[in-house]
Amino acid sequence: MASAPSDPPPVLGRVDRNGRLVAADPELAALQAEAGSSVGSELALPQIAAIARLARKLGVPVSRPAVAAGADQDYELWVRATPDGDDVALALERWTAVPARRARLTGLVPTDADLGVGPAAHGWVTDEQLRVVSLSPELAAKLGVELGEVLGEPLTKLFKLEENDSGEMPMLVALASRTSFAGQRAQARGGDKAVVMLKGEGVIGADGGFAGFKGSAEPEDQAKPAAAAVPAGMVDQMLDQALRAPLDRIIESADRIAERSDGPLRSDYAAYASDISAAARHLLSVIRSMGEESGGARDRLNLAALASEAAGLLEQEAEAADIRIAIEPAGPLSVYGESRGIIQILVNLIGNAVRHSPAGSTVAISFEVSGNQVQAHVSDNGPGIDPADHQRIFERFQRAKTTTDGSGLGLAIARRLARSMGGDILIDSEPGKGARFTLSLPAA
């Protein structure tokens, strides 16, 4: 049984790029064993593992509180995760033993009770990029795979997803909106190649963010019908109560800070408040659209203003990467479209450009009117994309060969949004010469 350290020195460990605990002090090794794993295997303490992943993703040290479950009791502790080459170094401090209880945050390795199914259920768990974290023994046997063979692989290597009658894939819609889903028809690629219905619930990580899905794969003839949709009016009321009011308060407070209504404030802090307000307004627009019925209506919008708003949402990420976002001055450029969708597309294109640009370079946003289309160009100085990949990167779960980042869904979703508004996304790129993505929309 693990014992809570009583001396000040931290308990040390090391996690490799594949999430395996490759080194650990005795206390951490004992806790890993109590969780059913061992040193050299995947770190089986979900909240600590999530903090390690966050530090790796951000590339900076991260400190967070966490709860780790022992055999007979839990431990509240403080975790410091520091990127170190390909590994993340862990330092665990302030261990406090507390009675065993269910963690406040859902873990990435659920029990049968977590999945809401019986002990013979075919359960699965993925991370935020739909990579397999866990499979139940029953499901692994049905698919004819070993868990060790598929850990870290996309769930789509196990199942071929199929579109529903509306031409959508519920799992991908849920991934884009970070929500639960049901009724995803799929065919097993291995084993008996059975047709199954996938359903899943969103998982919250130790950092409070979306960390993936946990769910089940039931034979199609045994799956329960998906629950009837909640009436739009009720959805709207639920969103009002849960999210709109808090966001309105955030916007109001951020605007007061930005305007220095409560007194003098450094300019950089006022700018941060403006960023907070812009991000909250964007999130509020997303929430409002969720409560509205889709009527296919299109508004007359200023593409230049929306591009500026999208760039503002990414300024801090760009600054942290030493990237400058430059927007070409332009007068009003009227297009027909839906503001939330256009901003989502531009955030995706600009964000990709920032992530693939070398430090010290510039991501340029320019505009052009071509016939009855208005275009926004997003150009970067990154590694470029081979012409052979130009179409492939717009397919689901596909990425350019020059990158391993992301789930391969951003561009597919962005192009689908653009085409739903009568527009498109085009690419002009070749290796070594950067890339230019163009959002084209109907002129108004």
Side-chain angles (χ1 to χ4, degrees), residues 110-123 135-139:
T111 63
D112 293 328
D114 290 330
L115 293 170
V117 291
H122 301 298
L135 290 177
S136 71
E138 295 83 3
L139 181 56

Side-chain angles (χ1 to χ4, degrees), residues 47-48 65-69 74-77 98 101 103:
Q47 293 192 23
I48 298 176
V67 176
D74 290 351
Y75 297 99
E76 293 179 346
L77 43 86
V98 295
R101 67 192 189 284

Side-chain angles (χ1 to χ4, degrees), residues 2-3 5 8-14 21-33 39 45 90-93 95:
S3 58
V11 173
L12 304 180
R14 182 171 289 269
L21 182 66
V22 294
D25 284 350
E27 296 87 353
L28 178 55
L31 202 56
Q32 171 85 335
V39 176
L45 305 168
L90 298 176
L92 280 54
E93 303 174 310
W95 290 51

Side-chain angles (χ1 to χ4, degrees), residues 379-399:
S379 306
D380 65 57
N381 297 306
I385 301 171
D386 192 294
D389 288 334
H390 284 189
Q391 292 305 313
R392 187 177 62 82
I393 60 174
F394 287 102
E395 298 173 5
R396 297 182 180 100
F397 301 106
Q398 298 297 319
R399 297 171 295 208

